[in-house]
């Protein structure tokens, strides 16, 4: 949907935790006068553990909590692969999701081999395999669903140390395969979970050789600009509010103050 007319309201950004903050920063850079609500659905983290129906209901429940919404951004790959059609059926405002940047990797790879690092749930989903068939048919694609990487990113954002050895364990299958000859090394890795860019330094250290790590946050922000044009009189000075759904949240991210979103 391409919107020519300005739309009112503010932008609601939803993730299972604090991974979507990377997407939010990209949006705030591009829309400095727009008001944002960020919801970390800490009480339901990780989304990968939820069945599809619960996940759809949960994201819709969160969206219904807010008035004056002009656009919802599902800043979570795991949720985006499941909830977008349902959300679009229910709500009139644009719903933007995030998908792993497979097209970008397929276009830029020199070795014709690249990796996709996602959560277990995203990696298992049909959506991703059909995207690989559609856009990367001429490439070798190593898809790996990591069990703990999103949690490690949450830990890091909360100020705890993350061990490179733990990160290495989570990404090892991407780099070890007997099928890969020297010439077929992967040269790009698509980050298919919004939490992972926060571990970029650790990922670089843990990888056995250099690759390009692709973060789709910027692409999502650009997509939002196509569907959300702030009203000319928007005068919120870009004030953003941050919510967590957990009762006793331990989030200590930058200087952000998280309010509790009660259900
Ligand atoms: N940020 C989510 C994603 O992009 C985290 C995964 C989860 O909650 O399972 O997939």
């Amino acid at each position: 949907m391409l919107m020519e007319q300005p739309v009112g309201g503010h932008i609601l950004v939803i993730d299972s935790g604090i991974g979507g903050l990377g997407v939010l920063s990209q949006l705030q850079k591009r829309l400095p006068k727009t008001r944002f609500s960020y919801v970390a659905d800490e009480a339901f983290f990780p989304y990968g553990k939820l069945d599809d129906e619960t996940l759809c209901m949960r994201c819709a429940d969160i969206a219904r909590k807010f008035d004056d919404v002009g656009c919802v951004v599902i800043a979570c790959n795991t949720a985006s692969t499941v909830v977008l059609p349902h959300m679009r059926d229910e709500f009139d405002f644009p719903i933007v999701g995030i998908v792993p940047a497979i097209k970008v990797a397929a276009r830029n790879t020199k070795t014709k081999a690249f990796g996709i690092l996602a959560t277990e749930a995203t990696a298992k989903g049909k959506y991703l395999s059909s995207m690989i068939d559609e856009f990367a048919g001429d490439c070798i694609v190593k898809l790996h669903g990591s069990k703990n990487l999103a949690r490690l990113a949450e830990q890091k954002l909360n100020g705890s140390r993350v061990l490179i050895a733990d990160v290495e364990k989570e990404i090892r299958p991407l780099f070890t395969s007997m099928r890969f000859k020297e010439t077929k090394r992967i040269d790009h890795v698509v980050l298919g979970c919004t939490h992972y860019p926060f571990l970029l330094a650790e990922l670089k250290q843990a990888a056995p050789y250099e690759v390009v790590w692709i973060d789709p946050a910027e692409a999502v922000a650009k997509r939002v600009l196509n569907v959300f044009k702030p009203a000319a009189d928007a005068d919120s000075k870009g004030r953003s509010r941050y919510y967590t759904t957990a009762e006793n949240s331990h989030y200590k991210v930058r200087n952000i103050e998280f309010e509790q979103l009660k259900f």
Side-chain angles (χ1 to χ4, degrees):
M1 182 197 331
L2 207 65
M3 194 147 296
E4 298 302 336
Q5 293 303 314
V7 285
H10 80 300
I11 298 182
L12 169 63
V13 180
I14 303 173
D15 182 30
S16 58
I18 41 196
L21 288 174
V23 175
L24 178 67
S25 310
Q26 290 291 338
L27 286 166
Q28 286 168 324
K29 248 198 265 173
R30 287 171 173 79
L31 294 165
K33 286 190 174 166
T34 297
R35 191 164 57 86
F36 292 90
S37 293
Y38 182 87
V39 177
D41 196 3
E42 204 182 346
F44 276 60
F45 178 88
Y47 274 172
K49 289 259 152 65
L50 305 183
D51 61 67
D52 290 2
E53 201 188 338
T54 311
L55 190 48
C56 287
M57 269 163 36
R58 184 65 181 169
C59 289
D61 282 349
I62 292 173
R64 274 187 232 109
K65 284 268 172 198
F66 290 84
D67 293 325
D68 194 29
V69 174
C71 175
V72 171
V73 180
I74 304 291
C76 172
N77 295 78
T78 310
S80 293
T81 55
V82 175
V83 308
L84 296 181
H86 303 266
M87 297 280 285
R88 286 174 182 147
D89 272 356
E90 174 167 348
F91 300 102
D92 290 336
F93 38 74
I95 313 282
V96 178
I98 188 161
V99 285
I102 293 171
K103 270 198 240 179
V104 179
R107 199 169 50 229
N108 294 342
T109 174
K110 301 264 184 304
T111 59
K112 287 285 164 208
F114 66 87
I116 304 173
L117 191 58
T119 62
E120 285 181 309
T122 303
K124 270 191 231 138
K126 283 198 196 86
Y127 185 75
L128 207 56
S129 52
S130 62
M131 272 190 79
I132 294 170
D133 291 345
E134 190 175 348
F135 300 114
D138 60 340
C139 299
I140 291 172
V141 180
K142 285 244 46 202
L143 170 61
H144 173 55
S146 156
K147 210 184 186 73
N148 297 311
L149 219 45
R151 199 176 294 282
L152 292 175
E154 292 262 316
Q155 267 176 33
K156 179 179 175 183
L157 278 165
N158 278 317
S160 304
R161 207 171 136 230
V162 170
L163 299 177
I164 300 300
D166 290 340
V167 175
E168 197 275 325
K169 219 186 293 167
E170 295 298 317
I171 65 169
R172 195 179 299 152
L174 277 181
F175 295 94
T176 51
S177 165
M178 297 313 287
R179 278 170 49 218
F180 284 88
K181 303 219 170 73
E182 190 68 10
T183 51
K184 280 291 176 200
R185 276 184 170 194
I186 57 169
D187 60 354
H188 288 68
V189 174
V190 176
L191 296 176
C193 167
T194 50
H195 280 72
Y196 298 170
F198 292 102
L199 289 173
L200 193 58
E202 291 79 2
L203 288 166
K204 284 182 176 171
Q205 276 192 65
Y209 53 84
E210 218 174 290
V211 293
V212 178
W213 303 87
I214 306 175
D215 172 7
E218 215 181 311
V220 177
K222 284 186 188 155
R223 172 92 193 108
V224 171
L225 292 189
N226 283 337
V227 296
F228 181 84
K229 297 236 183 301
D233 59 353
D235 185 26
S236 61
K237 298 198 178 66
R239 176 161 152 60
S240 299
R241 292 179 76 164
Y242 300 82
Y243 301 88
T244 171
T245 54
E247 218 169 292
N248 294 308
S249 176
H250 299 295
Y251 277 166
K252 285 190 214 81
V253 187
R254 304 176 196 140
N255 290 325
I256 297 173
E257 283 202 25
F258 284 88
E259 304 166 42
Q260 194 194 341
L261 183 67
K262 291 192 180 137
F263 282 84

